[in-house]
Amino acid sequence: MNTYHLGVIPGDGTGPEVVREGLKVLEAVSRKVGFSYETVVYPFGGEYYQKTGETLPDSAVEEMKKLDAIYLGAIGHPEVKPGILEKGILLKLRFSLDQYINLRPVKLYPNVWTPIKDKGPDDIDLVVVRENTEGLYVGGGGFLRKGTAEEVAIQESINTRFGVERCVRYAFEYTQRRNRRKKLTLCGKTNVLTYAFDLWERTFQEVAREYPQVQTDYAHVDATTMWMVKNPEWFDVIVTDNMFGDIITDLGAMIQGGMGIAAGGNINPQGVSMFEPIGGSAPKYTGKNVINPLAAICAMQMLLDNLEEKEAAQKVEQAVIGALESGKIKSLSAGQMGLTTQEVGDLVVSFL
Ligand code: IPM
Ligand code: MN
C-alpha cells in the first residue's frame, strides 16, 4: 500500500479552519479507497513571521523537496506589509520547487449560483493553465533615483523560450487528456506586447503541430475577460502568462460561484506540487466557523488527482457535487452558508 508524505501549511486567518476540513475529507476517503499517508505540519505564515522574523527558511524548502505534495491553507496577515509573505512564502515555494504551472479549473457545479445570467454547468467548464515561474513575477527591474521627482521604476516581464515552451506543452497535453472539446486558447496581447507574446505565439504554433487533434485559438487578454463573461462556453483550456493568468483566474473564480469554491494547483509535473483554495486568509471571518471549506476540499481533490489517486479524487468531487445538490448549503459565501465550516465538511464526508 502506498504511503504518501504530505506537507501541510495551514497558514493564516481562516486557512487552518478550511485545511482541517480538507484533511477530514482526506482521512475519510483514504479509508474508503485504501491508501495511507503521513502529514508534516509547517507553521509558516504571518503570525510566525511576526514572532520569529522568518518567512520560510531554506532548510524547510529542502525538506519539502522530499514530500509527495503540499497542502496550503492561506497566507496573508493584515499587519504584515504587502509583499513580504507573498514573496517570502508563496512565491518562494513556487520558484524553488519549480512549480511552473498554475492550474485553475473553472467549473460551475450544479446548484451553484453564478452571476452570469442564463449560463449553467454545461457552459462554465474551463481550465486555465497559467505559467507560474516567469513573466512579471520574477521580480526583474528596479528603481532609479527612488523617492526623487526624477524617479524611474522598471518592472520587467521575463519570458524564456524554455519556460514558455514547457508551459505551452503542458497545456496541449492537458487539453488532449481532458478530452472535452479539445480546444486550447492562447490568451495574450500580441498587438501591444510585441516581444513577449511574439515568443508565446510562435512557440504555441510550433508545439501545436505536434498535437493535430487539439483545435487552437487565440484571444487577447482584454477580449478573453469579455468572452469569459459573455460566452464562457467558447473556452475549454486557456494557456497564458503569469500576470494575465492571475487576473483571469479571479474572474474565473467569480463565474464558478466565488472564492468559496475556487481551488488551484501549483504544479511541477516532475516534482513536488502544492494545492490551495485560491481565496485569501479572510481575517474578518477568522475563528468564526463560517468560512466555506469547499474550495479547500476541491484543492484536496486536485491533490489526490495529482498523486494519481484517481478513484479518491473522483469520489471527493462526487461528494462535493452531492453536498451541493442536497440543497443544504444555502450560499457559498462566508457567513451565509446556513451551516458552519465543520458542518459543510461533515456533509461532504457523508456523501463519500
Ligand atoms: C494567486 C495570488 C498570488 C499571485 C499572490 C498572493 C502573490 O493572487 O495565487 O493568484 O498573484 O499569484
Ligand atoms: Mn491571484
Side-chain angles (χ1 to χ4, degrees):
M1 192 158 78
N2 271 336
T3 297
Y4 298 108
H5 294 93
L6 305 179
V8 180
I9 310 174
D12 299 312
T14 51
E17 292 167 61
V18 297
V19 158
R20 204 175 298 134
E21 300 313 307
L23 292 175
K24 187 195 277 177
V25 171
L26 172 65
E27 178 59 27
V29 80
S30 73
R31 282 168 200 231
K32 292 242 181 295
V33 174
F35 63 86
S36 64
Y37 62 93
E38 283 161 13
T39 56
V40 189
V41 180
Y42 293 95
F44 308 116
E47 243 160 71
Y48 183 84
Y49 172 70
Q50 284 191 310
K51 260 189 270 163
T52 64
E54 198 166 46
T55 47
L56 173 67
D58 293 340
S59 57
V61 175
E62 286 312 308
E63 223 180 277
M64 289 180 193
K65 287 184 180 164
K66 296 181 208 125
L67 296 167
D68 292 306
I70 300 169
Y71 188 48
L72 173 73
I75 300 288
H77 199 286
E79 279 147 45
V80 179
K81 196 175 146 226
I84 293 178
L85 302 172
E86 290 85 341
K87 277 194 185 164
I89 301 177
L90 191 60
L91 298 184
K92 181 168 175 176
L93 279 169
R94 288 177 183 173
F95 283 83
S96 47
L97 299 177
D98 203 20
Q99 294 164 337
Y100 62 86
I101 299 295
N102 193 312
L103 192 67
R104 281 279 298 109
V106 177
K107 187 167 177 178
L108 180 68
Y109 284 126
N111 235 353
V112 172
W113 181 82
T114 173
I116 304 193
K117 197 166 172 279
D118 299 331
K119 298 291 177 191
D122 286 341
D123 306 302
I124 302 175
D125 184 359
L126 61 101
V127 177
V128 178
V129 175
R130 162 186 172 189
E131 200 293 319
N132 213 29
T133 53
E134 295 197 343
L136 284 162
Y137 279 68
V138 170
F143 291 112
L144 198 60
R145 302 191 289 266
K146 190 175 177 187
T148 72
E150 297 83 36
E151 176 161 355
V152 182
I154 297 172
Q155 194 95 44
E156 291 161 331
S157 177
I158 311 292
N159 297 264
T160 69
R161 170 72 199 208
F162 168 75
V164 171
E165 185 170 332
R166 67 180 180 174
C167 174
V168 164
R169 201 170 279 287
Y170 181 93
F172 273 100
E173 287 286 336
Y174 188 90
T175 309
Q176 186 149 297
R177 197 159 17 101
R178 175 169 141 92
N179 206 12
R180 192 169 139 85
R181 293 175 47 209
K182 292 204 180 175
K183 177 177 169 187
L184 178 62
T185 304
L186 171 65
C187 163
K189 191 71 187 175
T190 51
N191 54 349
V192 177
L193 305 182
T194 49
Y195 312 127
F197 280 99
D198 189 79
L199 172 61
W200 274 84
E201 196 174 38
R202 275 183 284 117
T203 308
F204 185 77
Q205 282 163 0
E206 278 170 39
V207 176
R209 285 190 215 118
E210 296 170 39
Y211 297 87
Q213 311 91 320
V214 174
Q215 184 199 338
T216 58
D217 199 3
Y218 172 81
H220 293 319
V221 62
D222 47 350
T224 301
T225 62
M226 195 166 79
W227 300 129
M228 278 174 75
V229 171
K230 191 166 183 291
N231 294 98
E233 70 279 5
W234 287 357
F235 294 111
D236 178 11
V237 181
I238 299 175
V239 64
T240 191
D241 84 342
N242 211 338
M243 187 78 257
F244 291 166
D246 179 46
I247 297 166
I248 68 170
T249 54
D250 267 22
L251 175 59
M254 288 305 116
I255 68 172
Q256 75 182 119
M259 289 300 180
I261 188 91
N266 300 277
I267 293 175
N268 176 342
Q270 292 84 33
V272 185
S273 301
M274 174 168 75
F275 300 85
E276 51 173 338
I278 74 163
S281 56
K284 75 173 184 187
Y285 297 115
T286 301
K288 300 207 163 82
N289 206 13
V290 297
I291 195 79
N292 192 339
L294 285 178
I297 293 169
C298 290
M300 180 54 75
Q301 183 261 327
M302 293 181 75
L303 185 153
L304 289 165
D305 190 74
N306 192 260
L307 292 178
E308 295 289 331
E309 287 292 339
K310 300 287 177 192
E311 191 191 345
Q314 247 166 24
K315 277 193 159 46
V316 172
E317 183 172 37
Q318 284 313 311
V320 167
I321 292 173
L324 290 164
E325 282 179 332
S326 76
K328 290 187 177 141
I329 306 171
K330 301 231 151 19
S331 153
L332 295 192
S333 305
Q336 294 162 38
M337 299 188 294
L339 294 176
T340 65
T341 303
Q342 280 163 321
E343 283 168 343
V344 174
D346 292 339
L347 184 64
V348 173
V349 168
S350 77
F351 278 96
L352 273 176

